[in-house]
Amino acid sequence: MPLGEIPLHTTSWLILVALGGILAVDSVSWPQIMISRPLVSATVGGWIVGSPSAGFLVGALLELMSLRHPPFGAARYPDTGPAGLVAGCAYASVGTDSLGSLVAAILAGWAVGWIGAVSVQLRRRGNERLLTPESELASRPELLEKRHKTAVRLDIFRGALLTAGFLVPAIVAAAWVVDQPESGLATIWGAALLVTALAAAAGAGGRTSSFGIVGWPLLFVGAALGGLIAGIVG
Amino acid sequence: MIGGGMAFAMLPLLRRIYAGDPVRLSEAVARHLGAFNSHPYLAGLAVGALARAELEGESPERIERFRTALRGPLGTVGDRLIWASWRPACLLIAIAAFGLGLGPIWSVILFLVSYNVGHIVIRIWGFRHGWHEGLGVSKTLHERWLDVVPRLLAPVILLLLGLDAVLLSRQVLDVVAWHGFFAGLALVAAFVALMAFRWPRRTGRIAVALVLSIPLVWLVLAGTSG
């Protein structure tokens, strides 16, 4: 796709890049009010390009996948703020009637999330250097404050850089998928793949969020209830 | 929260406690720059308790022992209460609300408001308890509600996970305006969800087998009907 045909204005791109920085800093630095969750960031990404519903759908799918990776202890987990923003924006900007673009957006978001996880680790190593030597910081508390704030600013920059680097490629990838001729086989395969992955993510998320609870019948009851509601609503 | 963050958070209190005594302030900052870990929302409990200990002139050795003893439980209790219970519950309620027809923006607002009510209450509760109880704060971590809330939320989370998986499946199928196979695919979703929970090591193979077999079944059915 030629750059001029990418369905994203420069102003929107700038807003999204700035938002990527803010969302990234929320997850580990400040204020940790969970605007960095993919449910929120993808909806915001979709909303900025005109379709919050599309963004929410991508965000909800990424959210279920992320439940398996909580930030327990020193565990590595996806950086979901910029990831959700990129994925929600990519899907919403190329049209919401293509299963392929939905899958492409989710894969792009998941990839950005794990690249972001690596960047978080690199940034943490940088923080260790920033907060040494301890003797100097202890004798000059104002230096401690300054370096702490520098670390937070670097985190904002990291999130903005991540969003700037992957937003346009994700949109191009989703747009390329939309342009491909669709076949019945590809559609049924894609839908089955997505629904199966969704269900597996839900089951794995259940294991992570329910210590010591043997609750598989409850998972099934929930699914049956969902089927009933879906049947009634139509 | 690493040591630098802990010392940064305590700095305003330490400056007041050691006002006019830069040497003792420097010693206190050095004490709190050491390695520390906690769930971020419960870090206030440690900040309050340690600031109280500094105010009451506890010995540096006792403060260091207290820091070391507190950091493990603060992480464990917080991870279980917030990351594994409160956050998933609020997220899944918002996703269910969307699946039941609430708009996307309102669903996000529902999540952010419900989650952050709990978040802010815990931060305030932690700091107040830490400040009031000082080095005796460890008994706070044995309060019953910290154990009861995750136990109560665990079954709710499982129920919501099953519900959300199916409601989101319907949204996915709406994308391709494809409702005919919905009931079958919802059953696949419920089935794999069960398998993923019950036998996680086999889930990958089962999922791959299903994904590979569904198009083949479709081809066979298309061939026989044609």
Side-chain angles (χ1 to χ4, degrees), chain A residues 189 193 196, chain B residues 202-214:
Chain A
W189 210 319
L193 178 72
T196 306
Chain B
R202 295 182 192 175
T203 310
R205 287 177 212 162
I206 292 163
V208 168
L210 281 168
V211 171
L212 291 176
S213 63
I214 287 172

mmCIF file with all atom_site columns, all heavy atoms in Angstrom, chain A residues 189 193 196, chain B residues 202-214:
data_model
loop_
_atom_site.group_PDB
_atom_site.id
_atom_site.type_symbol
_atom_site.label_atom_id
_atom_site.label_alt_id
_atom_site.label_comp_id
_atom_site.label_asym_id
_atom_site.label_entity_id
_atom_site.label_seq_id
_atom_site.pdbx_PDB_ins_code
_atom_site.Cartn_x
_atom_site.Cartn_y
_atom_site.Cartn_z
_atom_site.occupancy
_atom_site.B_iso_or_equiv
_atom_site.pdbx_formal_charge
_atom_site.auth_seq_id
_atom_site.auth_comp_id
_atom_site.auth_asym_id
_atom_site.auth_atom_id
_atom_site.pdbx_PDB_model_num
ATOM 1   N N   . TRP A 1 189 ? -11.928 -21.312 8.280  1.00 0.00 ? 189 TRP A N   1
ATOM 2   C CA  . TRP A 1 189 ? -10.700 -21.642 8.992  1.00 0.00 ? 189 TRP A CA  1
ATOM 3   C C   . TRP A 1 189 ? -10.347 -20.509 9.977  1.00 0.00 ? 189 TRP A C   1
ATOM 4   O O   . TRP A 1 189 ? -10.024 -20.742 11.143 1.00 0.00 ? 189 TRP A O   1
ATOM 5   C CB  . TRP A 1 189 ? -9.554  -21.828 7.992  1.00 0.00 ? 189 TRP A CB  1
ATOM 6   C CG  . TRP A 1 189 ? -8.521  -22.802 8.454  1.00 0.00 ? 189 TRP A CG  1
ATOM 7   C CD1 . TRP A 1 189 ? -8.031  -22.918 9.717  1.00 0.00 ? 189 TRP A CD1 1
ATOM 8   C CD2 . TRP A 1 189 ? -7.878  -23.802 7.685  1.00 0.00 ? 189 TRP A CD2 1
ATOM 9   N NE1 . TRP A 1 189 ? -7.115  -23.927 9.769  1.00 0.00 ? 189 TRP A NE1 1
ATOM 10  C CE2 . TRP A 1 189 ? -6.998  -24.486 8.537  1.00 0.00 ? 189 TRP A CE2 1
ATOM 11  C CE3 . TRP A 1 189 ? -7.954  -24.175 6.349  1.00 0.00 ? 189 TRP A CE3 1
ATOM 12  C CZ2 . TRP A 1 189 ? -6.199  -25.520 8.099  1.00 0.00 ? 189 TRP A CZ2 1
ATOM 13  C CZ3 . TRP A 1 189 ? -7.140  -25.218 5.928  1.00 0.00 ? 189 TRP A CZ3 1
ATOM 14  C CH2 . TRP A 1 189 ? -6.271  -25.887 6.790  1.00 0.00 ? 189 TRP A CH2 1
ATOM 15  N N   . LEU A 1 193 ? -10.274 -20.801 13.955 1.00 0.00 ? 193 LEU A N   1
ATOM 16  C CA  . LEU A 1 193 ? -9.007  -20.507 14.635 1.00 0.00 ? 193 LEU A CA  1
ATOM 17  C C   . LEU A 1 193 ? -9.207  -19.473 15.742 1.00 0.00 ? 193 LEU A C   1
ATOM 18  O O   . LEU A 1 193 ? -8.758  -19.643 16.880 1.00 0.00 ? 193 LEU A O   1
ATOM 19  C CB  . LEU A 1 193 ? -7.998  -19.991 13.602 1.00 0.00 ? 193 LEU A CB  1
ATOM 20  C CG  . LEU A 1 193 ? -6.624  -19.579 14.129 1.00 0.00 ? 193 LEU A CG  1
ATOM 21  C CD1 . LEU A 1 193 ? -5.833  -20.801 14.536 1.00 0.00 ? 193 LEU A CD1 1
ATOM 22  C CD2 . LEU A 1 193 ? -5.867  -18.804 13.071 1.00 0.00 ? 193 LEU A CD2 1
ATOM 23  N N   . THR A 1 196 ? -11.455 -20.827 18.617 1.00 0.00 ? 196 THR A N   1
ATOM 24  C CA  . THR A 1 196 ? -10.721 -21.820 19.402 1.00 0.00 ? 196 THR A CA  1
ATOM 25  C C   . THR A 1 196 ? -9.675  -21.131 20.283 1.00 0.00 ? 196 THR A C   1
ATOM 26  O O   . THR A 1 196 ? -9.542  -21.449 21.471 1.00 0.00 ? 196 THR A O   1
ATOM 27  C CB  . THR A 1 196 ? -10.035 -22.845 18.468 1.00 0.00 ? 196 THR A CB  1
ATOM 28  O OG1 . THR A 1 196 ? -11.031 -23.383 17.612 1.00 0.00 ? 196 THR A OG1 1
ATOM 29  C CG2 . THR A 1 196 ? -9.401  -23.967 19.245 1.00 0.00 ? 196 THR A CG2 1
ATOM 30  N N   . ARG B 2 202 ? -2.647  -30.576 27.189 1.00 0.00 ? 202 ARG B N   1
ATOM 31  C CA  . ARG B 2 202 ? -3.234  -31.184 25.978 1.00 0.00 ? 202 ARG B CA  1
ATOM 32  C C   . ARG B 2 202 ? -3.971  -30.163 25.122 1.00 0.00 ? 202 ARG B C   1
ATOM 33  O O   . ARG B 2 202 ? -4.369  -30.471 23.999 1.00 0.00 ? 202 ARG B O   1
ATOM 34  C CB  . ARG B 2 202 ? -4.215  -32.290 26.379 1.00 0.00 ? 202 ARG B CB  1
ATOM 35  C CG  . ARG B 2 202 ? -3.523  -33.450 27.066 1.00 0.00 ? 202 ARG B CG  1
ATOM 36  C CD  . ARG B 2 202 ? -4.511  -34.529 27.385 1.00 0.00 ? 202 ARG B CD  1
ATOM 37  N NE  . ARG B 2 202 ? -3.927  -35.509 28.272 1.00 0.00 ? 202 ARG B NE  1
ATOM 38  C CZ  . ARG B 2 202 ? -4.584  -36.524 28.790 1.00 0.00 ? 202 ARG B CZ  1
ATOM 39  N NH1 . ARG B 2 202 ? -5.854  -36.690 28.525 1.00 0.00 ? 202 ARG B NH1 1
ATOM 40  N NH2 . ARG B 2 202 ? -4.001  -37.371 29.598 1.00 0.00 ? 202 ARG B NH2 1
ATOM 41  N N   . THR B 2 203 ? -4.172  -28.968 25.681 1.00 0.00 ? 203 THR B N   1
ATOM 42  C CA  . THR B 2 203 ? -5.000  -27.970 24.997 1.00 0.00 ? 203 THR B CA  1
ATOM 43  C C   . THR B 2 203 ? -4.486  -27.633 23.615 1.00 0.00 ? 203 THR B C   1
ATOM 44  O O   . THR B 2 203 ? -5.254  -27.553 22.662 1.00 0.00 ? 203 THR B O   1
ATOM 45  C CB  . THR B 2 203 ? -5.035  -26.679 25.822 1.00 0.00 ? 203 THR B CB  1
ATOM 46  O OG1 . THR B 2 203 ? -5.367  -27.032 27.129 1.00 0.00 ? 203 THR B OG1 1
ATOM 47  C CG2 . THR B 2 203 ? -6.047  -25.714 25.267 1.00 0.00 ? 203 THR B CG2 1
ATOM 48  N N   . GLY B 2 204 ? -3.172  -27.420 23.511 1.00 0.00 ? 204 GLY B N   1
ATOM 49  C CA  . GLY B 2 204 ? -2.595  -27.037 22.227 1.00 0.00 ? 204 GLY B CA  1
ATOM 50  C C   . GLY B 2 204 ? -2.921  -28.056 21.158 1.00 0.00 ? 204 GLY B C   1
ATOM 51  O O   . GLY B 2 204 ? -3.375  -27.693 20.067 1.00 0.00 ? 204 GLY B O   1
ATOM 52  N N   . ARG B 2 205 ? -2.710  -29.339 21.460 1.00 0.00 ? 205 ARG B N   1
ATOM 53  C CA  . ARG B 2 205 ? -2.956  -30.396 20.467 1.00 0.00 ? 205 ARG B CA  1
ATOM 54  C C   . ARG B 2 205 ? -4.433  -30.450 20.071 1.00 0.00 ? 205 ARG B C   1
ATOM 55  O O   . ARG B 2 205 ? -4.779  -30.585 18.908 1.00 0.00 ? 205 ARG B O   1
ATOM 56  C CB  . ARG B 2 205 ? -2.555  -31.757 21.043 1.00 0.00 ? 205 ARG B CB  1
ATOM 57  C CG  . ARG B 2 205 ? -1.053  -31.927 21.137 1.00 0.00 ? 205 ARG B CG  1
ATOM 58  C CD  . ARG B 2 205 ? -0.730  -33.237 21.783 1.00 0.00 ? 205 ARG B CD  1
ATOM 59  N NE  . ARG B 2 205 ? 0.514   -33.133 22.547 1.00 0.00 ? 205 ARG B NE  1
ATOM 60  C CZ  . ARG B 2 205 ? 0.885   -33.976 23.478 1.00 0.00 ? 205 ARG B CZ  1
ATOM 61  N NH1 . ARG B 2 205 ? 0.114   -34.985 23.790 1.00 0.00 ? 205 ARG B NH1 1
ATOM 62  N NH2 . ARG B 2 205 ? 2.014   -33.834 24.113 1.00 0.00 ? 205 ARG B NH2 1
ATOM 63  N N   . ILE B 2 206 ? -5.297  -30.332 21.101 1.00 0.00 ? 206 ILE B N   1
ATOM 64  C CA  . ILE B 2 206 ? -6.743  -30.394 20.827 1.00 0.00 ? 206 ILE B CA  1
ATOM 65  C C   . ILE B 2 206 ? -7.166  -29.211 19.955 1.00 0.00 ? 206 ILE B C   1
ATOM 66  O O   . ILE B 2 206 ? -7.905  -29.370 18.981 1.00 0.00 ? 206 ILE B O   1
ATOM 67  C CB  . ILE B 2 206 ? -7.541  -30.425 22.145 1.00 0.00 ? 206 ILE B CB  1
ATOM 68  C CG1 . ILE B 2 206 ? -7.280  -31.754 22.853 1.00 0.00 ? 206 ILE B CG1 1
ATOM 69  C CG2 . ILE B 2 206 ? -9.040  -30.238 21.891 1.00 0.00 ? 206 ILE B CG2 1
ATOM 70  C CD1 . ILE B 2 206 ? -7.668  -31.762 24.303 1.00 0.00 ? 206 ILE B CD1 1
ATOM 71  N N   . ALA B 2 207 ? -6.654  -28.019 20.309 1.00 0.00 ? 207 ALA B N   1
ATOM 72  C CA  . ALA B 2 207 ? -7.018  -26.822 19.538 1.00 0.00 ? 207 ALA B CA  1
ATOM 73  C C   . ALA B 2 207 ? -6.568  -26.963 18.082 1.00 0.00 ? 207 ALA B C   1
ATOM 74  O O   . ALA B 2 207 ? -7.322  -26.668 17.156 1.00 0.00 ? 207 ALA B O   1
ATOM 75  C CB  . ALA B 2 207 ? -6.394  -25.590 20.174 1.00 0.00 ? 207 ALA B CB  1
ATOM 76  N N   . VAL B 2 208 ? -5.318  -27.436 17.896 1.00 0.00 ? 208 VAL B N   1
ATOM 77  C CA  . VAL B 2 208 ? -4.797  -27.599 16.531 1.00 0.00 ? 208 VAL B CA  1
ATOM 78  C C   . VAL B 2 208 ? -5.637  -28.628 15.766 1.00 0.00 ? 208 VAL B C   1
ATOM 79  O O   . VAL B 2 208 ? -6.011  -28.417 14.608 1.00 0.00 ? 208 VAL B O   1
ATOM 80  C CB  . VAL B 2 208 ? -3.311  -28.023 16.570 1.00 0.00 ? 208 VAL B CB  1
ATOM 81  C CG1 . VAL B 2 208 ? -2.837  -28.483 15.193 1.00 0.00 ? 208 VAL B CG1 1
ATOM 82  C CG2 . VAL B 2 208 ? -2.454  -26.864 17.041 1.00 0.00 ? 208 VAL B CG2 1
ATOM 83  N N   . ALA B 2 209 ? -5.970  -29.735 16.444 1.00 0.00 ? 209 ALA B N   1
ATOM 84  C CA  . ALA B 2 209 ? -6.773  -30.779 15.795 1.00 0.00 ? 209 ALA B CA  1
ATOM 85  C C   . ALA B 2 209 ? -8.129  -30.226 15.360 1.00 0.00 ? 209 ALA B C   1
ATOM 86  O O   . ALA B 2 209 ? -8.594  -30.497 14.243 1.00 0.00 ? 209 ALA B O   1
ATOM 87  C CB  . ALA B 2 209 ? -6.957  -31.954 16.745 1.00 0.00 ? 209 ALA B CB  1
ATOM 88  N N   . LEU B 2 210 ? -8.734  -29.424 16.230 1.00 0.00 ? 210 LEU B N   1
ATOM 89  C CA  . LEU B 2 210 ? -10.045 -28.842 15.891 1.00 0.00 ? 210 LEU B CA  1
ATOM 90  C C   . LEU B 2 210 ? -9.944  -27.887 14.708 1.00 0.00 ? 210 LEU B C   1
ATOM 91  O O   . LEU B 2 210 ? -10.731 -27.938 13.772 1.00 0.00 ? 210 LEU B O   1
ATOM 92  C CB  . LEU B 2 210 ? -10.607 -28.101 17.110 1.00 0.00 ? 210 LEU B CB  1
ATOM 93  C CG  . LEU B 2 210 ? -11.241 -28.986 18.186 1.00 0.00 ? 210 LEU B CG  1
ATOM 94  C CD1 . LEU B 2 210 ? -11.487 -28.173 19.442 1.00 0.00 ? 210 LEU B CD1 1
ATOM 95  C CD2 . LEU B 2 210 ? -12.554 -29.558 17.681 1.00 0.00 ? 210 LEU B CD2 1
ATOM 96  N N   . VAL B 2 211 ? -8.937  -27.031 14.777 1.00 0.00 ? 211 VAL B N   1
ATOM 97  C CA  . VAL B 2 211 ? -8.783  -26.031 13.718 1.00 0.00 ? 211 VAL B CA  1
ATOM 98  C C   . VAL B 2 211 ? -8.521  -26.711 12.371 1.00 0.00 ? 211 VAL B C   1
ATOM 99  O O   . VAL B 2 211 ? -9.034  -26.278 11.338 1.00 0.00 ? 211 VAL B O   1
ATOM 100 C CB  . VAL B 2 211 ? -7.646  -25.049 14.079 1.00 0.00 ? 211 VAL B CB  1
ATOM 101 C CG1 . VAL B 2 211 ? -7.325  -24.145 12.914 1.00 0.00 ? 211 VAL B CG1 1
ATOM 102 C CG2 . VAL B 2 211 ? -8.056  -24.217 15.275 1.00 0.00 ? 211 VAL B CG2 1
ATOM 103 N N   . LEU B 2 212 ? -7.723  -27.786 12.399 1.00 0.00 ? 212 LEU B N   1
ATOM 104 C CA  . LEU B 2 212 ? -7.441  -28.491 11.145 1.00 0.00 ? 212 LEU B CA  1
ATOM 105 C C   . LEU B 2 212 ? -8.634  -29.297 10.656 1.00 0.00 ? 212 LEU B C   1
ATOM 106 O O   . LEU B 2 212 ? -8.870  -29.414 9.457  1.00 0.00 ? 212 LEU B O   1
ATOM 107 C CB  . LEU B 2 212 ? -6.233  -29.428 11.335 1.00 0.00 ? 212 LEU B CB  1
ATOM 108 C CG  . LEU B 2 212 ? -4.880  -28.738 11.528 1.00 0.00 ? 212 LEU B CG  1
ATOM 109 C CD1 . LEU B 2 212 ? -3.813  -29.771 11.800 1.00 0.00 ? 212 LEU B CD1 1
ATOM 110 C CD2 . LEU B 2 212 ? -4.509  -27.918 10.304 1.00 0.00 ? 212 LEU B CD2 1
ATOM 111 N N   . SER B 2 213 ? -9.404  -29.843 11.584 1.00 0.00 ? 213 SER B N   1
ATOM 112 C CA  . SER B 2 213 ? -10.480 -30.744 11.177 1.00 0.00 ? 213 SER B CA  1
ATOM 113 C C   . SER B 2 213 ? -11.733 -30.000 10.698 1.00 0.00 ? 213 SER B C   1
ATOM 114 O O   . SER B 2 213 ? -12.430 -30.491 9.812  1.00 0.00 ? 213 SER B O   1
ATOM 115 C CB  . SER B 2 213 ? -10.840 -31.700 12.313 1.00 0.00 ? 213 SER B CB  1
ATOM 116 O OG  . SER B 2 213 ? -11.324 -30.971 13.405 1.00 0.00 ? 213 SER B OG  1
ATOM 117 N N   . ILE B 2 214 ? -12.001 -28.816 11.252 1.00 0.00 ? 214 ILE B N   1
ATOM 118 C CA  . ILE B 2 214 ? -13.242 -28.113 10.885 1.00 0.00 ? 214 ILE B CA  1
ATOM 119 C C   . ILE B 2 214 ? -13.305 -27.813 9.379  1.00 0.00 ? 214 ILE B C   1
ATOM 120 O O   . ILE B 2 214 ? -14.305 -28.143 8.721  1.00 0.00 ? 214 ILE B O   1
ATOM 121 C CB  . ILE B 2 214 ? -13.438 -26.838 11.745 1.00 0.00 ? 214 ILE B CB  1
ATOM 122 C CG1 . ILE B 2 214 ? -13.841 -27.267 13.162 1.00 0.00 ? 214 ILE B CG1 1
ATOM 123 C CG2 . ILE B 2 214 ? -14.519 -25.923 11.154 1.00 0.00 ? 214 ILE B CG2 1
ATOM 124 C CD1 . ILE B 2 214 ? -13.888 -26.147 14.158 1.00 0.00 ? 214 ILE B CD1 1
#
